[in-house]
Amino acid sequence: MPSRSETRSIDAFLTTTLAEYGRTLHDNIFDDVPLLSYLNGKLGKALAGRGPDSQIKKVLNGGERIIEPLLYGRNSTVDSYSGSEMLDTTLQDGITNAAYDWAQYSVAIGIEGIQKRNNKGRHALVNLLQAKTTQAEMTIQERLNSDAYKDGTGNNSKNILGLGGHISATTTTGGLAPATHTWWKSEISASVGAFATYGFTKMRNMTNTLTIGNISPDMVITTQDVYEAFENELTDQRRYTDSKVGDVGFENLVFKNQPIIFDRDCTSGFMYFLNRRYMKWVVHAEADLKMADPGFQTPIGQDVSTALILFQGNMTVNNRRRLGVLTGITT
């Protein structure tokens, strides 16, 4: 059995190797699935030119909760005037905050003593660590992407608050109830029915409803079935694609200048209309899928070395009215 000093040396080597792989691990998790890539990956970067913000992602260094300032009212002092007329200086309301809880996730990468002994040499250890890390990447990617479509109530409300909670006309989010704050509602078109009959009409109406001037949804995400139903209704001459989205590896079609993609985790029968101006993917600087200190450890009494990868963050929204969803689509 390796000595304690040898074990520490191996753990230090594994820690250094995993730390060097950290950026690649992060990119692999966020770049390959549509919604996560839109929020914090190459798809979001490809679409950055469509809005004023370069990225949806926001990094914080602390805070008990995530605070999003909301502008919901107009300034009533705006008016024309002439000469020495008294000007309206009434103090204005119309600004409040939404407060979101931090969500935390972890994934462990563990290497048993027998695996370390059977993979002597640094090259063999690197190969073993890579296999273990790939397994961890795939697992946490699946979990985060799946949770990003849900309402945040899973696992005793410890999950991230996903589209199922944010894009709603009834769900309380950020501490604000739509029943009280009538402006804190998304656009919902429920029970759409057969796509071939109602799909284009409902999509057109939703897009127009969510459009203000030249600001409109910048991404539509749906299921594979609904995507194929949309594709089936297009003539060959109308099968346009968005080159920016295609260049980062996502098959897509276009409707009213909006790229449309499908995601295996999207809720059945749903089609989400998103806008990066009004969404944020907020992460803590010290837990953005980073390895927890002190890295790999071999506790006394166990023949295993384990490191934890931690995530602390959430999806937030600052204007629910500019986000929408079609539900109950059948194909």
Side-chain angles (χ1 to χ4, degrees):
M1 184 174 180
S3 67
R4 190 67 180 167
S5 60
E6 182 182 0
T7 296
R8 288 173 178 169
S9 176
I10 293 173
D11 286 351
F13 170 72
L14 292 172
T15 298
T16 301
T17 303
L18 184 56
E20 291 175 350
Y21 185 70
R23 183 69 257 173
T24 301
L25 179 148
H26 185 282
D27 290 345
N28 286 350
I29 289 171
F30 282 96
D31 279 346
D32 294 336
V33 287
L35 184 52
L36 291 186
S37 188
Y38 174 79
L39 294 169
N40 188 25
K42 60 186 180 183
L43 180 55
K45 294 176 182 176
L47 294 170
R50 297 176 180 271
D53 301 319
S54 61
Q55 281 291 291
I56 295 178
K57 183 178 182 178
K58 181 166 69 174
V59 180
L60 300 180
N61 290 309
E64 183 180 352
R65 305 179 78 188
I66 303 167
I67 305 299
E68 284 289 349
L70 309 178
L71 178 63
Y72 67 88
R74 298 190 177 195
N75 188 320
S76 65
T77 66
V78 176
D79 204 354
S80 58
Y81 76 98
S82 64
S84 60
E85 181 179 350
M86 291 296 293
L87 306 181
D88 187 352
T89 58
T90 304
L91 294 178
Q92 299 295 297
D93 293 321
I95 299 177
T96 189
N97 292 321
Y100 297 95
D101 292 325
W102 291 103
Q104 299 177 88
Y105 290 73
S106 71
V107 60
I109 299 176
I111 298 179
E112 296 176 2
I114 191 172
Q115 293 175 315
K116 288 189 288 186
R117 292 187 287 275
N118 290 347
N119 289 273
K120 282 288 187 180
R122 297 199 167 192
H123 181 72
L125 274 176
V126 167
N127 288 341
L128 176 61
L129 179 60
Q130 184 174 16
K132 294 278 188 176
T133 304
T134 299
Q135 179 191 45
E137 285 175 1
M138 293 174 61
T139 306
I140 197 167
Q141 179 192 78
E142 291 174 357
R143 177 63 183 272
L144 283 174
N145 198 63
S146 176
D147 287 355
Y149 284 99
K150 298 175 182 176
D151 63 5
T153 60
N155 194 23
N156 296 314
S157 297
K158 290 182 285 188
N159 291 347
I160 58 174
L161 179 59
L163 299 182
H166 284 301
I167 304 182
S168 168
T170 58
T171 303
T172 296
T173 60
L176 303 172
T180 303
H181 306 280
T182 56
W183 45 268
W184 191 237
K185 297 179 180 180
S186 302
E187 292 294 331
I188 313 296
S189 182
S191 304
V192 169
F195 187 90
T197 305
Y198 305 106
F200 279 116
T201 299
K202 294 292 187 179
M203 290 176 67
R204 186 180 301 112
N205 179 258
M206 180 62 72
T207 299
N208 292 341
T209 299
L210 296 175
T211 297
I212 301 178
N214 65 353
I215 302 173
S216 59
D218 61 8
M219 176 59 66
V220 178
I221 299 183
T222 188
T223 65
Q224 180 179 341
D225 288 345
V226 175
Y227 180 89
E228 291 174 355
F230 171 80
E231 185 177 27
N232 191 54
E233 294 301 313
L234 299 177
T235 64
D236 290 338
Q237 291 76 21
R238 293 170 57 199
R239 294 178 186 271
Y240 302 117
T241 63
D242 187 299
S243 60
K244 291 182 179 180
V245 177
D247 287 345
V248 294
F250 292 102
E251 179 182 334
N252 73 97
L253 294 166
V254 172
F255 178 80
K256 291 178 73 70
N257 294 322
Q258 302 165 116
I260 302 175
I261 58 178
F262 65 87
D263 191 329
R264 67 172 185 269
D265 290 318
C266 184
T267 308
S268 179
F270 278 46
M271 178 181 280
Y272 287 102
F273 292 72
L274 308 180
N275 192 320
R276 64 188 302 101
R277 288 173 179 255
Y278 311 115
M279 303 174 66
K280 292 294 179 186
W281 180 257
V282 184
V283 299
H284 195 287
E286 296 178 7
D288 185 11
L289 288 170
K290 292 183 177 180
M291 179 171 49
D293 289 334
F296 277 91
Q297 299 180 80
T298 300
I300 295 174
Q302 286 187 288
D303 188 19
V304 60
S305 296
T306 304
L308 293 173
I309 305 297
L310 303 180
F311 171 81
Q312 180 178 331
N314 216 331
M315 185 194 306
T316 68
V317 165
N318 58 33
N319 192 340
R320 296 176 90 182
R321 292 174 295 179
R322 298 297 112 208
L323 307 173
V325 63
L326 307 181
T327 72
I329 304 172
T330 60
T331 58

